[in-house]
Amino acid sequence: MTSATALPARLSALLPDLSPWRSSADFRLLWVQGLVTNFGSFMALIALPLQIKELTGSPLAVGAMGAVELVPLVVFGLYGGALADSADRRKVILGTEAGLGLLALVLLVNAAMPDPMLWPLYLVAGGVSALAGLQRPALDSLIARIVPHDQLTAAAALNSLRWQFGAITGPAVAGLVAAYAGHATAYTVTVVTFTVSVLLCLRLAPAPPAEHARKPSLRGIAEGARYAWSRPVLLGTYAIDLAAMFFAFPNTIFPFLADELDAEWSLGLMYAAGSVGSLVLGLTSGWTSRVRRHGLFVVFGAAAWGLAVAAAGWFSNVWLVLVCLAVAGAGDMLSGLGRSTIWNQTIPEELRGRLAGIEVLSYSVGPQLGQVRAGAMAGWTGTRTAIWTGGVACVASVALLAAALPKLLTYDSVTDADAVRRRQSSPSGV
């Protein structure tokens, strides 16, 4: 190969691996459906805390969203995992998506009132958390069924790209829409996107449970928890993500950070910056399909996230803050690719739904608790101090957990016993 052709070849090797898109019609459908619904979800995700801020002016009131969302997420996330192993996953996804659309309609009606009320915002936040807890295990556990085993990292990268696109465009547009057109307009967009999403979900192929699947029960949930507890690699992915999000998830206090930096215009960019970093990594993720040591992704990505968040809290220049948030997003993307790949490569099909329920808790409970921590600490020490100290605590906790669970660092997808068994039993690929 000549030097003239070597550079394009190297660049093409960095591009995302599109194998899952080509090999699975259901994956393509879920990808498009997720793109639509993510855009609308992020519109509401920005408009909701911004509306609470305008109604109360309190960082603690905004952070309290995390407390309201926590219990429904835990309860319905665990139940949703058991449900995904015992019901048609397509029906679970379709029903919960319709329910989320109805909750968006409640937000729209409340925002259109002459004097919007505060309590419906918390009620909807809890309802969204419950439905998301029911839905995510079915969504996550479906991927390993419809995508060949050797394409799971590529599928995780493509799904992250889809999510990041909504995370960039949704907040950026929502900040402008909420500021200039009102919250009702933002919620209207959310309702429309969920309507389109439901129509797309109707086209998914049925995904019935295994032949001998049992009904959801506490015993079944406990069986999944025992399996996770017996696998140090899985424990490491859960624990590191929980710690990283608890200590270094400052999104809920971004409205106050923008005010403190005298850059109210930057609010939407703050919410979108992390996704920009994730998107850049995703667009150059072709190399990740050739990596075997995915535990290193988890550890180094989470540490990079914490360092960048700490820097974002330290700097007073808004552009430097935005750059740091973008770097944090790239770290989070890398860690997420590692977690998703390890989960899909090692967990047996009969436990996939219940373990997906635990996964939902690992990557969702952390941000909810992180919102409470960030809001409470910002009210006590100030916004920027709450951010940078959380980033430092994140790095320290990741280092301690990596030292306590060394099997995560040595995980190899070719030699790990669980990964070998899962690959041999996979009906959809080698």
Side-chain angles (χ1 to χ4, degrees):
M1 181 181 295
T2 67
S3 59
T5 59
L7 182 58
R10 293 191 190 100
L11 291 176
S12 64
L14 292 176
L15 295 177
D17 183 353
L18 300 179
S19 300
W21 179 276
R22 291 191 291 265
S23 63
S24 174
D26 271 350
F27 180 82
R28 292 194 298 271
L29 189 60
L30 277 178
W31 198 93
V32 175
Q33 174 268 334
L35 183 68
V36 172
T37 194
N38 282 350
F39 179 81
S41 296
F42 276 104
M43 288 286 287
L45 181 68
I46 304 307
L48 186 56
L50 191 58
Q51 189 175 16
I52 293 176
K53 172 183 176 288
E54 291 180 359
L55 290 175
T56 66
S58 167
L60 185 59
V62 177
M65 281 180 57
V68 170
E69 294 166 342
L70 180 59
V71 173
L73 184 62
V74 171
V75 173
F76 288 93
L78 290 173
Y79 180 79
L83 184 65
D85 279 337
S86 62
D88 189 318
R89 292 169 186 171
R90 171 185 176 272
K91 292 181 178 178
V92 176
I93 295 169
L94 181 60
T96 51
E97 199 73 358
L100 290 167
L102 290 175
L103 290 178
L105 185 60
V106 173
L107 291 176
L108 171 59
V109 171
N110 183 61
M113 296 173 62
D115 296 306
M117 296 178 289
L118 180 62
W119 67 264
L121 304 183
Y122 290 113
L123 181 66
V124 168
V128 168
S129 184
L131 289 175
L134 285 175
Q135 183 187 80
R136 286 306 296 267
L139 272 173
D140 292 347
S141 60
L142 188 58
I143 297 300
R145 178 180 290 192
I146 63 178
V147 173
H149 186 85
D150 60 341
Q151 297 175 10
L152 291 172
T153 302
L158 291 175
N159 279 338
S160 181
L161 278 176
R162 176 204 67 196
W163 191 89
Q164 301 305 338
F165 180 81
I168 293 169
T169 57
V173 175
L176 295 173
V177 169
Y180 296 105
H183 302 292
T185 303
Y187 296 142
T188 298
V189 174
T190 304
V191 171
V192 171
T193 58
F194 275 108
T195 302
V196 173
S197 176
V198 167
L199 295 176
L200 290 171
C201 287
L202 288 170
R203 299 179 57 191
L204 285 171
E211 183 179 354
H212 301 294
R214 294 174 292 180
K215 293 182 178 180
S217 65
L218 290 176
R219 173 180 288 185
I221 294 172
E223 181 184 359
R226 283 194 299 270
Y227 179 87
W229 185 258
S230 69
R231 298 303 193 271
V233 173
L234 291 179
L235 277 181
T237 64
Y238 302 146
I240 285 179
D241 191 45
L242 274 170
M245 294 298 104
F246 174 74
F247 288 114
F249 190 78
N251 295 32
T252 192
I253 56 175
F254 280 168
F256 301 93
L257 179 61
D259 289 346
E260 192 167 316
L261 297 176
D262 195 24
E264 291 82 359
W265 53 268
S266 68
L267 177 59
L269 295 177
M270 286 183 182
Y271 281 109
S275 296
V276 171
S278 295
L279 182 64
V280 171
L281 184 64
L283 290 173
T284 57
S285 63
W287 61 276
T288 61
S289 295
R290 300 183 291 276
V291 172
R292 296 162 43 176
R293 302 283 297 279
H294 301 103
L296 297 177
F297 282 7
V298 178
V299 174
F300 291 143
W305 159 271
L307 282 172
V309 169
W314 185 261
F315 289 124
S316 57
N317 182 288
V318 67
W319 293 108
L320 288 177
V321 170
L322 292 172
V323 169
C324 290
L325 293 176
V327 173
D332 187 46
M333 166 76 167
L334 185 64
S335 183
L337 282 180
R339 294 193 307 271
S340 179
T341 302
I342 290 172
W343 294 339
N344 283 323
Q345 284 182 342
T346 63
I347 298 171
E349 175 63 26
E350 64 272 15
L351 290 171
R352 187 163 297 281
R354 279 163 285 178
L355 270 292
I358 296 175
E359 292 157 18
V360 168
L361 300 187
S362 78
Y363 61 67
S364 298
V365 170
Q368 307 309 323
L369 291 175
Q371 289 187 78
V372 178
R373 186 211 67 84
M377 193 164 183
W380 177 40
T381 66
T383 301
R384 291 172 59 195
T385 300
I387 294 173
W388 75 258
T389 54
V392 171
C394 167
V395 176
S397 62
V398 169
L400 289 173
L401 287 168
L405 297 165
K407 287 190 176 181
L408 178 62
L409 287 172
T410 59
Y411 173 83
D412 188 317
S413 62
V414 174
T415 60
D416 181 83
D418 289 326
V420 171
R421 281 193 293 269
R422 173 71 184 120
R423 182 167 59 250
Q424 292 173 344
S425 65
S426 173
S428 56
V430 295

